[in-house]
Structure formats: C-alpha cells, structure tokens
Amino acid sequence: MGIDVSSGTEHEDRFRRVYAANFEPLLAYAMRRVGQAEDAADVVAEVFLVAWRRSREMPPEAEVRLWLYGVARRVLANHHRGGVRRERLGERLRQRLKAAVGVDPGSEVPERLTVQAALARLGELDREVLMLTFWEGLKPREAAAVLRVSSAVVRTRLSRARARLRDLVGDDLGPPGHVLDVMAVRTLEEGR
C-alpha cells in the first residue's frame, strides 16, 4: 500500500488552519475555567493533541470550533478531576509524613538555632555526613553510597565532624530558651 502524500499534506494544512483560527478562542475559553494561565495553556495543548489524533473525525471547518469546545470541556473535566486527586494524594502524603517523621532531632527551637548555626560553619561534606547519619538515620556505608565516597572516608569525616560540631556547640547547649547571638538588642532594664 502506498501513502497518499497529497491527502497527508491536505490533512496537515487543514489542521494548521483549524489551529490558527481556534487557538485564541480556546485559550480564552480555558482561561475563564482554570485558575492559572499555565493550566489553560496545558488544556489547550491537550485539546489540539486530541484534535490531531482524531483529525479524520473533525467536522467541517464551519462546525469545528463547537467540536473543539466539546473536546475542551472533556479535557477540563479531566483536569479538574486530576486536581482533586492530586489534592487528596497530597493530603495523604502530608499525613504519612507527619506520622513517619516523628520528632526532628533539631526541633527544639533554641537548640535548633544553635545546631543550624554550627552546621553552617562545617564543610559541605562534613555537614552532609552528619545530616545523613543523624537526621536520615543512615549507616556510614549507606551514607557512603549516597555521597559516592568510600565507607572509610565517611567514618573519618563523621568522627571529625562530630568533634568539630561538639567544639562549636559545646556539650551543654545552655539553659532552655537561651541562644547566644540571637538576642543582640538590649532592653531598657539591661542598659541601666
């Protein structure tokens, strides 16, 4: 069987005419029905993808806009259903994360600020080794795989990073609610 080149070219030309004549009205249609311009552009792209795939079924050009609006209506319905599914999935994920994460080792505010400041003063690899082993609960060999270094490098870095962090933070973080360098402004009573 041979390919009919003229009908393929005619088919493409017709699609181009339909696209040129209907893109802006379809975009306006979609913009009035979704919250974001990006979503409207996605809807219109999907409409023309369907139109391309089903172009042999497209009605005559005088009726094609109505047909495209029908396609757009179904694409929008799928878009809205997908949004609802994404919201439900996001809520389930948030619930699972709350249950799985538990208490963050640095969740106590004064201590967290002190630890974060100390971590920022460490080198990038040392900081990442500490965070992977303590926050993520990885074993040194697992952290080594993540960082693409040897286990020996991780153990050495971990030992050095612990010592450096201990030097920066100290063994005792101080009384609850007190963080060095956070309250830098004196009150009137302190100034007397």
Side-chain angles (χ1 to χ4, degrees):
M1 262 174 72
I3 297 174
D4 186 358
V5 177
S6 65
S7 70
T9 304
E10 290 173 20
H11 165 73
E12 290 175 16
D13 289 343
R14 177 170 188 241
F15 182 82
R16 284 188 183 100
R17 285 192 311 273
V18 167
Y19 180 88
N22 293 285
F23 175 81
E24 288 183 19
L26 281 170
L27 183 60
Y29 176 89
M31 293 275 295
R32 287 188 286 273
R33 287 161 177 79
V34 296
Q36 302 288 326
E38 295 83 12
D39 291 340
D42 289 345
V43 166
V44 173
E46 183 70 22
V47 167
F48 281 110
L49 179 61
V50 170
W52 176 257
R53 288 179 178 160
R54 297 180 53 202
S55 60
R56 305 264 188 228
E57 302 168 29
M58 266 196 290
E61 288 186 39
E63 301 167 16
V64 76
R65 184 170 296 164
L66 300 178
W67 184 80
L68 290 170
Y69 281 149
V71 172
R73 190 167 174 266
R74 289 184 289 281
V75 169
L76 282 163
N78 288 339
H79 173 78
H80 291 304
R81 279 192 299 272
V84 169
R85 280 192 302 269
R86 280 188 297 279
E87 286 176 29
R88 287 181 188 154
L89 179 61
E91 184 55 36
R92 284 196 310 265
L93 181 59
R94 281 188 288 281
Q95 296 303 320
R96 279 190 171 174
L97 286 174
K98 281 182 185 177
V101 170
V103 177
D104 180 0
S107 66
E108 306 301 333
V109 172
E111 290 87 357
R112 183 181 65 214
L113 293 173
T114 302
V115 170
Q116 284 177 340
L119 282 171
R121 294 178 64 190
L122 295 176
E124 183 179 340
L125 184 58
D126 290 346
R127 180 175 48 250
E128 190 63 19
V129 165
L130 276 173
M131 294 176 79
L132 285 171
T133 55
F134 288 102
W135 271 269
E136 310 311 327
L138 298 183
K139 295 176 180 151
R141 65 179 167 74
E142 295 169 327
V146 170
L147 298 170
R148 294 184 176 169
V149 296
S150 72
S151 295
V153 168
V154 169
R155 285 190 299 276
T156 302
R157 291 289 187 150
L158 184 57
S159 177
R160 287 182 193 163
R162 284 178 182 160
R164 177 100 166 98
L165 189 65
R166 204 174 299 114
D167 289 344
L168 292 169
V169 173
D171 290 329
D172 181 24
L173 288 175
H178 177 72
V179 178
L180 297 176
D181 297 331
V182 172
M183 300 268 309
V185 179
R186 288 184 165 194
T187 63
L188 291 176
E189 293 176 11
E190 289 177 335
R192 293 183 192 177

